[in-house]
Amino acid sequence: MSQAALATSPSSGGGSGRPSPWRLFAANRLAAGGLIVLAAIAVLVLLAPLLPLPSPDATEPANRLLRPMSDGYLLGSDQLGRDILSRLLHGTRTSIAVGLSATLVAAVIGSLLGLVAGYAGGRSDNLIMRGIDMLMAFPYILLALAIVAALGPGLMNALLAIAVVNIPFFARNIRGVTVGLVHREFVDAARLSGKGDLSILLTEVLPNVLPVVVITMATTVGWMILETAGLSFLGLGAQPPQADLGSMLGEGRRQLFTAPHVSIIPGLMIFVLVMSINLMGDGVRDLLDPRLKSGALGRPSARTDVASDRAKAATAQEAATALLDVDGLTTEFRVGSEVYRAVGGVDFELKAEECLGLVGESGSGKSVTAMSLLGLVPSPPGRVVGGRVAHRGEDLLDVSYDRLRQLRGGSFACVFQDPLSTLHPLYTVGDQIVEAIRAHQALGYRAAHAKAVELLKLVQIPGPERRMEAYPHELSGGMRQRICIAMALANDPEVLIADEPTTALDVTVQAQVLRLLNRLRMDKQAAVLFITHDFGVVSEICDRVAVMYAGRIVEVGPTEELLTRPAHPYTRKLIDCVPVLGERERRLDAIPGLPPAVNRLPEGCAFADRCPQARPDCRRGNITLDRLGDERSVRCLFPLLSSEKQRVS
Ligand code: ADP
Ligand code: MG
């Protein structure tokens, strides 16, 4: 057994779990740079009226077209002798104000239209969206020109034109998101609770689309400033003598060869402004994407990170022959400054053709244990920091990625809890099984198809030929789980990992699926690691049981013995929680208290706080998984069996 697993304290303690928004933002260097430049421009522009600068409109014909760095004119003067620096600051101020206002108007109107269209659906949706389509059918800038031409030139009208032509972007984006949301369960739940449409829109849908609105705003505001400048450049926006970046550029164009600085300076300002806004927009998007919020800025890699200096137990003699020998497996999640030791040194052995049950409360680390075996824990934040997973003597944590891919779906197959989320919604189940077969076997489509039909027969799907053409949503839950089992069996695995495969099914279907799994594992001679929280299921199918608590195995033994004579107080309590039909007087004891948080595990036995038998010794040191007879082990200083023995004697 590995002692290394609990050698270090699991938590660094203190600090908030997730990185602060600011840290996430700052991790994106370009975005932070954009923000700094933008902030500098904003400060200058806001302070412009207070700075000791001449009026932006004051002409001085004697000082026309002065070069930058001339006396009294830091950036030179234009064709009417106006101070370019002053015009630049005031012009930028105008451009930003117009761009931002246009964005706000477009965002509010467009999002409202999108929300209503997406939520109402049917005719209202059709009406609104066809209107939007008509707006989009006109060339974009022409439409803006036409609107300004109709309303007359001027900044206010340019603002309106830009806002109108941008409404479709918001409306389409928001409608798409809304349509995806209104059929989700939480909206149904809100409706069932008696909420009205307006209230659902405001409290359920809006908070979910708000990040999309903000992201769209952040990424379009730069574009809108450019468009405003474009209209002003053509003389349709700001009217003389008012300065904005576009009109400055347009006026400077005539002196492009004699005094290039007059147009280059506003041009540069437009470039820097729009660039910094766009970079910042990217950062805002990263910040608001909920998947990035979890603390990882990158995408999880295809394989769990394994610490190169991880602690391994000495290779035991029998390990080379065992089908699967897991020793001291330790998996952590690093979220911000917190370290969650989800799996804290797990040891078990899986013999050929046996079914080992892994039981424990929700959150005890069963799934993470199973996922760690094949490197399926997302990294970041997951990381295997210790242990060995020996499959016929080969350590799966050390094998090459190619070898791991061979094993995944080949020698090792998985069946998960929710078949609807594991099956691809857009492919027929037949194609998915064929794909699973061809990933590991050099078969043509026809041969694989025939094999897939065989597999469907094997898992007792009626009318297998016809069902091959079905999509996952057309099948019932039990049928879907059979499909997943068929896929798992496609390549005759040696080890089948079943993670709560029957939890989502009703009791009768659960019994059928269990019986099927049991028969198939005998037929196919596969070993099964069966994860569940249900002792009823365990007694049906498992040869041996390992009980998990707070990331460690606390008891292992043959099913029959462990269920009738549990040695660990936790196992005892778990068994007491199982209702028995016909025994009405039996007390259903919930275990008092809650499991410890895996980022703050106590010293000694993790169960001590909830254990009726706990003594002071239980809260000290590392308690090991000790043998108790031939086939049983227990991680307890005062196992129940010994006290029973004492009572008997
Ligand atoms: P179960 O025994 O119910 O299958 P799990 O193995 O899924 O429990 O989870 C064990 C612990 O690991 C839980 O405390 C859970 O919060 C944590 N955990 C699982 N996945 C992640 C993840 N991607 N990021 C952070 N923590 C995780
Ligand atoms: Mg689980």
Side-chain angles (χ1 to χ4, degrees):
M1 299 297 150
S2 159
Q3 304 289 314
L6 272 189
T8 50
S9 152
S11 166
S12 53
S16 65
R18 302 190 184 288
S20 67
W22 171 242
R23 267 190 53 204
L24 265 173
F25 188 84
N28 186 340
R29 294 253 169 79
L30 284 174
L35 181 69
I36 290 169
V37 173
L38 195 65
I41 294 177
V43 167
L44 274 179
V45 160
L46 284 175
L47 293 182
L50 305 178
L51 296 177
L53 289 170
S55 155
D57 303 331
T59 56
E60 195 144 352
N63 291 333
R64 295 175 59 232
L65 298 180
L66 290 180
R67 303 267 149 198
M69 312 302 284
S70 310
D71 227 8
Y73 294 88
L74 193 60
L75 292 180
S77 65
D78 68 1
Q79 67 285 356
L80 297 177
R82 295 174 293 196
D83 182 45
I84 291 186
L85 178 61
S86 171
R87 279 183 79 72
L88 184 75
L89 292 186
H90 283 91
T92 309
R93 192 179 154 101
T94 311
S95 287
I96 294 180
V98 173
L100 272 182
S101 316
T103 311
L104 263 177
V105 173
V108 170
I109 300 180
S111 308
L112 262 176
L113 288 177
L115 265 177
V116 172
Y119 185 78
R123 185 174 298 189
S124 323
D125 182 22
N126 236 327
L127 214 66
I128 296 176
M129 290 325 282
R130 292 307 79 78
I132 297 286
D133 285 348
M134 270 159 60
L135 267 186
M136 290 189 95
F138 288 101
Y140 189 75
I141 198 77
L142 273 190
L143 182 62
L145 285 176
I147 295 174
V148 183
L151 297 176
L155 259 184
M156 204 56 203
N157 294 343
L159 186 159
L160 280 179
I162 301 293
V164 167
V165 297
N166 278 292
I167 285 175
F169 287 100
F170 285 92
R172 293 209 143 238
N173 257 333
I174 301 308
R175 177 190 173 268
V177 181
T178 310
V179 167
L181 285 169
V182 290
H183 299 297
R184 295 275 292 275
E185 288 78 358
F186 66 88
V187 176
D188 288 342
R191 203 167 283 138
L192 286 178
S193 77
K195 274 189 169 182
D197 285 333
L198 188 64
S199 157
I200 293 180
L201 255 182
L202 292 182
T203 59
E204 308 290 329
V205 183
L206 188 63
N208 282 292
V209 300
L210 221 45
V212 184
V213 177
V214 175
I215 289 167
T216 318
M217 280 176 73
T219 43
T220 49
V221 62
W223 186 229
M224 297 215 204
I225 289 177
L226 269 186
E227 284 162 4
T228 320
L231 287 182
S232 290
F233 180 83
L234 296 173
L236 297 170
Q239 297 302 306
Q242 193 182 21
D244 87 335
L245 291 174
S247 63
M248 287 176 73
L249 195 63
E251 287 164 13
R253 182 179 45 145
R254 285 173 220 128
Q255 286 84 37
L256 189 58
F257 293 105
T258 48
H261 67 276
V262 181
S263 47
I264 287 178
I265 289 172
L268 266 179
M269 182 52 120
I270 294 178
F271 174 78
V272 172
L273 185 63
V274 174
M275 195 71 189
S276 60
I277 289 179
N278 285 351
L279 288 178
M280 194 197 69
D282 277 355
V284 171
R285 197 192 46 213
D286 285 359
L287 200 66
L288 290 178
D289 189 327
R291 282 163 302 180
L292 300 171
K293 256 193 209 163
S294 73
L297 269 172
R299 226 169 285 248
S301 55
R303 178 181 189 175
T304 311
D305 282 346
V306 177
S308 51
D309 57 345
R310 70 181 203 275
K312 290 192 223 182
T315 319
Q317 222 20 290
E318 72 269 27
T321 53
L323 175 61
L324 189 68
D325 188 28
V326 177
D327 219 346
L329 180 67
T330 311
T331 305
E332 291 178 347
F333 292 98
R334 270 163 205 273
V335 182
S337 56
E338 293 283 297
V339 179
Y340 295 84
R341 179 159 286 189
V343 177
V346 158
D347 318 274
F348 66 85
E349 192 189 340
L350 188 63
K351 303 189 190 91
E353 298 180 36
E354 87 166 333
C355 177
L356 174 68
L358 196 56
V359 272
E361 275 167 283
S362 174
S364 55
K366 307 180 297 286
S367 298
V368 176
T369 302
M371 307 272 263
S372 302
L373 302 183
L374 295 176
L376 291 171
V377 178
S379 282
R383 189 172 160 85
V384 176
V385 295
R388 199 164 49 88
V389 179
H391 166 240
R392 299 197 184 288
E394 181 184 31
D395 190 349
L396 298 187
L397 297 176
D398 284 335
V399 295
S400 70
Y401 181 55
D402 283 335
R403 173 74 183 135
L404 191 66
R405 279 186 49 203
Q406 254 178 13
L407 291 171
R408 287 181 184 171
S411 298
F412 287 79
C414 299
V415 179
F416 294 106
Q417 176 174 348
D418 181 6
L420 199 53
S421 61
T422 23
L423 291 171
H424 197 299
L426 300 183
Y427 290 105
T428 61
V429 293
D431 280 346
Q432 297 185 54
I433 302 178
V434 167
E435 192 183 21
I437 296 172
R438 293 180 70 189
H440 289 275
Q441 299 175 38
L443 286 182
Y445 184 83
R446 276 170 183 285
H449 192 274
K451 188 160 180 196
V453 174
E454 281 306 309
L455 282 167
L456 288 192
K457 272 191 203 139
L458 195 69
V459 295
Q460 299 171 339
I461 293 211
E465 308 273 0
R466 201 162 37 85
R467 288 298 181 189
M468 288 286 285
E469 307 304 321
Y471 288 91
H473 69 268
E474 298 172 328
L475 303 174
S476 69
M479 202 94 91
R480 273 183 223 132
Q481 197 55 294
R482 283 164 202 261
I483 302 281
C484 288
I485 295 174
M487 278 169 84
L489 296 178
N491 300 301
D492 297 317
E494 282 181 291
V495 178
L496 182 65
I497 298 173
D499 190 351
E500 315 227 15
T502 56
T503 309
L505 307 176
D506 64 62
V507 191
T508 39
V509 180
Q510 172 172 332
Q512 289 169 5
V513 171
L514 276 184
R515 217 170 306 133
L516 174 75
L517 252 180
N518 208 19
R519 188 171 60 74
L520 290 177
R521 82 172 171 101
M522 308 273 187
D523 287 356
K524 296 260 176 186
Q525 297 168 344
V528 179
L529 178 63
F530 196 97
I531 297 173
T532 178
H533 58 252
D534 186 342
F535 268 110
V537 173
V538 167
S539 61
E540 293 261 331
I541 184 166
C542 299
D543 303 318
R544 285 193 310 134
V545 185
V547 181
M548 236 181 138
Y549 186 75
R552 307 194 84 180
I553 287 182
V554 293
E555 179 166 9
V556 193
T559 309
E560 180 76 33
E561 251 186 78
L562 188 134
L563 290 187
T564 48
R565 297 189 313 132
H568 199 286
Y570 176 61
T571 318
R572 167 90 268 164
K573 284 278 179 194
L574 271 187
I575 294 172
D576 287 347
C577 288
V578 180
V580 176
L581 275 183
E583 283 190 29
R584 230 185 329 164
E585 65 280 12
R586 182 181 163 126
R587 271 177 50 220
L588 279 185
D589 279 331
I591 308 179
L594 289 171
V598 285
N599 57 338
R600 289 194 175 73
L601 285 176
E603 212 189 323
C605 175
F607 188 62
D609 283 341
R610 306 166 80 186
C611 180
Q613 274 99 343
R615 301 182 206 176
D617 280 354
C618 296
R619 299 177 202 272
R620 276 197 287 269
N622 177 30
I623 296 165
T624 51
L625 189 62
D626 289 327
R627 285 214 172 273
L628 190 78
D630 275 351
E631 293 188 88
R632 304 190 58 175
S633 308
V634 62
R635 193 186 294 280
C636 181
L637 295 179
F638 310 103
L640 299 174
L641 284 188
S642 54
S643 59
E644 256 172 34
K645 266 184 209 147
Q646 277 163 13
R647 240 185 290 142
V648 172
S649 59

